Amino acid sequence: MQEELEKQIADLKNQVENLAGKQAENKISMIVFSGDLDKALAAFIIGTGSVAMGLEVVMFFTFWGTPLLRDKNKQVGGKDFMGTMFGAMLPKGTGGAKLSKMNMACMGTAMMKSLMKKKNVASLEEMIQMAGELGVKIYVCEMSMDLMGFKREEMINYPDLTFCGVAKFLEEAMNSKIQLFI
Amino acid sequence: MQEELEKQIADLKNQVENLAGKQAENKISMIVFSGDLDKALAAFIIGTGSVAMGLEVVMFFTFWGTPLLRDKNKQVGGKDFMGTMFGAMLPKGTGGAKLSKMNMACMGTAMMKSLMKKKNVASLEEMIQMAGELGVKIYVCEMSMDLMGFKREEMINYPDLTFCGVAKFLEEAMNSKIQLFI
Amino acid sequence: MQEELEKQIADLKNQVENLAGKQAENKISMIVFSGDLDKALAAFIIGTGSVAMGLEVVMFFTFWGTPLLRDKNKQVGGKDFMGTMFGAMLPKGTGGAKLSKMNMACMGTAMMKSLMKKKNVASLEEMIQMAGELGVKIYVCEMSMDLMGFKREEMINYPDLTFCGVAKFLEEAMNSKIQLFI
């Protein structure tokens, strides 16, 4: 009888361990698809706010989000024709990002930026720096880099930046409590 | 030996309680970032549908989503220059919301509205009222209110509306089964 | 005493079973709201990538996402005036999908397509076929079909396609590890 109880307890232990291993971690994973100023701001406000809530933060930059991470002071050569064209057409860093609405030939964007300054809301550049200091992980989509002809040397210096594919991001997202597509 | 079993059972109890405490609640948390008519409709269709599925529903209105909750019949004074400008430029309530696509100088929006009426799909105003009756919680982003110069007195009367920051939303989102950025 | 231990173990078993039943499944649920070429591509890249990570995949096509699934070679008659108008105005299948940014009178879209070909990135048509072969489930929103006046006979042949309401999707989303609104 005693033996039977021991067996049942061992079974339960296994099941509990199994369940514990499947628990989502205290993590938030975001896909930053958009290159709009307002959406990028929202992503970083959520990101830095999540650190304050004790969450680990992973941001995967893909498609139009990728150019946000270009360093406007870095020049790279050796691009092919398409790469040069995309490079010229796409914004170079946060300075070129515009509002998704009410842009009105950039007037809305300028208004919003001046307003944010007045109301003491951090700018996108400041947000990215803060995120870096807080340990927010940035993943950059390799396929987007390749499609847009960006080179690794033209991206910003960021403490924790990794170039990877969607699989690596999904691995993080699967084990996260929150996932957002922005 | 009996004592040993008791200890093991007590251990398991702790672990199971611990796991139970980490379980996501039957809740859905949505960030309504967009002010587009179609996306707002989608958010409320998902919201009211979720109540029917036994989920608690939290909707966090931020950026362009915020003006959707202004009451077109409420007038407030005492705004500064920027606040007055934003107030005039941004839609006042659901009536000013437009489709994200095929708006075509508002023709598409008008078509969609008449079509929804014909097909017995509830309008956005009706959706919001229904959501209120079903107990959907609305959070309004304080930073957006401040940036756009909105005052609390100009927002709609809604049964369960709270002004708060992103941290309060993240707290709900962390414990939710579903999170969406709309 | 022995009896007491047995009772405690039985209690624990119930709790553990209960917890196991509440665990999210290895599944990702996406709402494809957008009909933009880039967002649809992102959705299918995430979808097919998720299969490779061992996840079950459910994609719910609603609003502007719905026309992506029309078959350009199928003709249907018997539509009312609004249905005929919407049918003509909305893209018919993936060929009509455009970039959300940099479309520039379709030049950007054409550039992106030729670039994808050159870089060996699968086209949207190929992605959909691959998704079908990999067992990605497609749900089509009945309300959107009805609003846009689409008929079931004009949709693509896809191995696992179901017409349903938002409730059916929420049921899947509730039990998924990842949910995205695209």
Side-chain angles (χ1 to χ4, degrees):
Chain A
M1 198 59 173
Q2 167 97 16
E3 224 170 89
E4 170 57 22
L5 284 184
E6 275 172 25
K7 202 187 144 292
Q8 287 186 27
I9 290 176
D11 266 7
L12 274 170
K13 267 190 197 165
N14 276 337
Q15 288 177 48
V16 167
E17 251 171 58
N18 200 345
L19 278 178
K22 282 184 187 162
Q23 288 289 315
E25 293 162 30
N26 276 330
K27 200 190 299 187
I28 174 171
S29 297
M30 288 181 268
I31 299 175
V32 185
F33 173 94
S34 168
D36 296 326
L37 175 62
D38 40 10
K39 290 201 177 168
L41 272 170
F44 277 99
I45 290 171
I46 294 168
T48 51
S50 294
V51 176
M53 302 293 293
L55 293 168
E56 194 188 333
V57 184
V58 176
M59 296 172 84
F60 181 69
F61 284 76
T62 186
F63 281 82
W64 313 109
T66 321
L68 290 171
L69 300 177
R70 293 167 84 198
D71 190 323
K72 67 170 190 279
N73 298 315
K74 292 188 187 167
Q75 306 291 339
V76 289
K79 290 193 182 185
D80 62 11
F81 174 70
M82 285 299 253
T84 309
M85 256 187 89
F86 262 103
M89 282 157 58
L90 288 167
K92 199 162 180 182
T94 55
K98 295 182 187 64
L99 291 182
S100 63
K101 302 275 158 191
M102 276 181 58
N103 184 49
M104 302 175 301
C106 296
M107 195 186 86
T109 302
M111 246 176 85
M112 180 61 81
K113 282 186 184 177
S114 95
L115 199 56
M116 283 170 59
K117 207 165 185 174
K118 200 181 135 199
K119 302 269 185 185
N120 287 318
V121 176
S123 70
L124 185 52
E125 297 78 42
E126 291 165 335
M127 286 272 178
I128 295 180
Q129 207 194 322
M130 207 190 306
E133 285 161 10
L134 289 169
V136 170
K137 269 196 214 171
I138 287 188
Y139 286 170
V140 186
C141 172
E142 276 176 334
M143 194 199 76
S144 299
M145 292 286 291
D146 189 34
L147 266 179
M148 293 174 174
F150 294 161
K151 302 201 170 183
R152 294 187 179 199
E153 309 90 75
E154 65 183 299
M155 305 312 269
I156 56 167
N157 298 325
Y158 184 91
D160 195 347
L161 187 150
T162 312
F163 297 91
C164 63
V166 75
K168 174 100 174 122
F169 171 76
L170 287 168
E171 211 181 288
E172 300 271 15
M174 271 176 71
N175 297 314
S176 298
K177 288 204 170 168
I178 308 181
Q179 302 91 7
L180 301 172
F181 182 96
I182 296 180
Chain B
M1 198 61 171
Q2 167 97 15
E3 224 169 88
E4 171 57 22
L5 284 184
E6 274 171 25
K7 202 186 145 290
Q8 287 185 28
I9 290 177
D11 266 6
L12 274 171
K13 265 190 199 166
N14 276 338
Q15 287 176 48
V16 168
E17 250 171 58
N18 201 345
L19 278 178
K22 281 183 190 163
Q23 287 290 313
E25 295 161 28
N26 275 331
K27 200 190 299 186
I28 174 172
S29 297
M30 287 181 268
I31 299 176
V32 184
F33 173 93
S34 168
D36 295 327
L37 175 63
D38 40 11
K39 290 202 178 167
L41 271 170
F44 277 100
I45 290 171
I46 294 168
T48 51
S50 294
V51 175
M53 303 292 293
L55 293 168
E56 194 188 332
V57 184
V58 176
M59 296 172 84
F60 181 70
F61 284 75
T62 186
F63 281 82
W64 313 108
T66 321
L68 289 172
L69 301 177
R70 293 167 84 198
D71 190 324
K72 67 170 191 279
N73 298 316
K74 292 188 187 168
Q75 305 292 340
V76 289
K79 290 194 182 183
D80 62 11
F81 174 71
M82 285 298 252
T84 309
M85 256 187 89
F86 262 103
M89 282 156 59
L90 288 166
K92 200 163 179 179
T94 54
K98 294 182 187 65
L99 291 182
S100 63
K101 301 274 157 191
M102 276 182 59
N103 184 49
M104 301 175 302
C106 297
M107 196 186 86
T109 302
M111 244 175 86
M112 180 60 82
K113 283 186 183 176
S114 96
L115 199 55
M116 283 169 60
K117 206 164 184 174
K118 201 181 135 200
K119 302 269 185 184
N120 287 318
V121 177
S123 71
L124 185 52
E125 298 77 43
E126 290 165 336
M127 286 272 179
I128 295 181
Q129 207 193 322
M130 208 191 304
E133 284 161 12
L134 289 170
V136 170
K137 270 196 214 171
I138 286 187
Y139 286 172
V140 185
C141 172
E142 275 176 336
M143 195 200 74
S144 299
M145 292 285 292
D146 189 34
L147 266 179
M148 294 175 173
F150 294 162
K151 302 202 168 181
R152 294 187 178 199
E153 308 90 75
E154 65 183 300
M155 305 311 269
I156 56 166
N157 299 324
Y158 184 91
D160 196 347
L161 187 149
T162 312
F163 297 91
C164 64
V166 74
K168 172 100 174 124
F169 171 75
L170 286 169
E171 211 180 287
E172 301 271 15
M174 272 176 69
N175 297 314
S176 298
K177 289 204 171 169
I178 308 181
Q179 302 92 7
L180 302 172
F181 182 96
I182 295 179
Chain C
M1 198 59 173
Q2 166 97 13
E3 225 170 88
E4 170 57 22
L5 284 184
E6 276 171 24
K7 201 186 145 292
Q8 287 186 27
I9 291 177
D11 266 7
L12 274 171
K13 267 190 196 165
N14 276 337
Q15 287 176 48
V16 167
E17 251 172 58
N18 201 346
L19 278 177
K22 282 183 188 163
Q23 287 289 314
E25 295 162 28
N26 275 331
K27 199 191 299 186
I28 174 170
S29 297
M30 288 181 268
I31 299 175
V32 184
F33 173 94
S34 169
D36 296 327
L37 174 63
D38 40 12
K39 291 201 179 168
L41 271 171
F44 277 100
I45 291 171
I46 295 168
T48 50
S50 294
V51 176
M53 302 293 293
L55 293 168
E56 193 189 333
V57 184
V58 175
M59 298 174 83
F60 181 70
F61 284 76
T62 186
F63 282 81
W64 313 109
T66 320
L68 290 171
L69 301 177
R70 293 167 84 199
D71 189 324
K72 67 170 190 277
N73 298 315
K74 291 187 187 169
Q75 306 291 339
V76 289
K79 289 193 180 182
D80 62 11
F81 174 70
M82 285 299 253
T84 309
M85 256 188 90
F86 262 103
M89 282 157 59
L90 288 167
K92 199 163 180 180
T94 55
K98 293 181 187 65
L99 291 182
S100 63
K101 302 275 157 191
M102 277 182 56
N103 185 47
M104 302 176 301
C106 297
M107 195 187 86
T109 302
M111 244 176 86
M112 180 60 82
K113 283 186 184 178
S114 96
L115 200 54
M116 283 170 59
K117 207 165 183 172
K118 199 181 135 201
K119 302 270 184 184
N120 287 318
V121 176
S123 70
L124 186 51
E125 298 76 42
E126 291 165 336
M127 286 274 179
I128 295 181
Q129 207 194 322
M130 207 190 306
E133 284 161 12
L134 290 169
V136 169
K137 269 195 213 172
I138 286 188
Y139 286 171
V140 185
C141 172
E142 275 175 335
M143 195 199 75
S144 300
M145 293 285 291
D146 188 33
L147 267 179
M148 295 175 172
F150 293 161
K151 303 200 168 183
R152 295 186 178 201
E153 309 90 75
E154 66 182 297
M155 306 311 269
I156 55 166
N157 299 324
Y158 184 91
D160 194 347
L161 187 150
T162 313
F163 297 92
C164 64
V166 74
K168 173 98 175 124
F169 171 75
L170 287 169
E171 212 180 287
E172 301 270 15
M174 272 175 70
N175 297 314
S176 297
K177 289 203 169 167
I178 308 180
Q179 302 91 7
L180 302 172
F181 182 96
I182 296 179

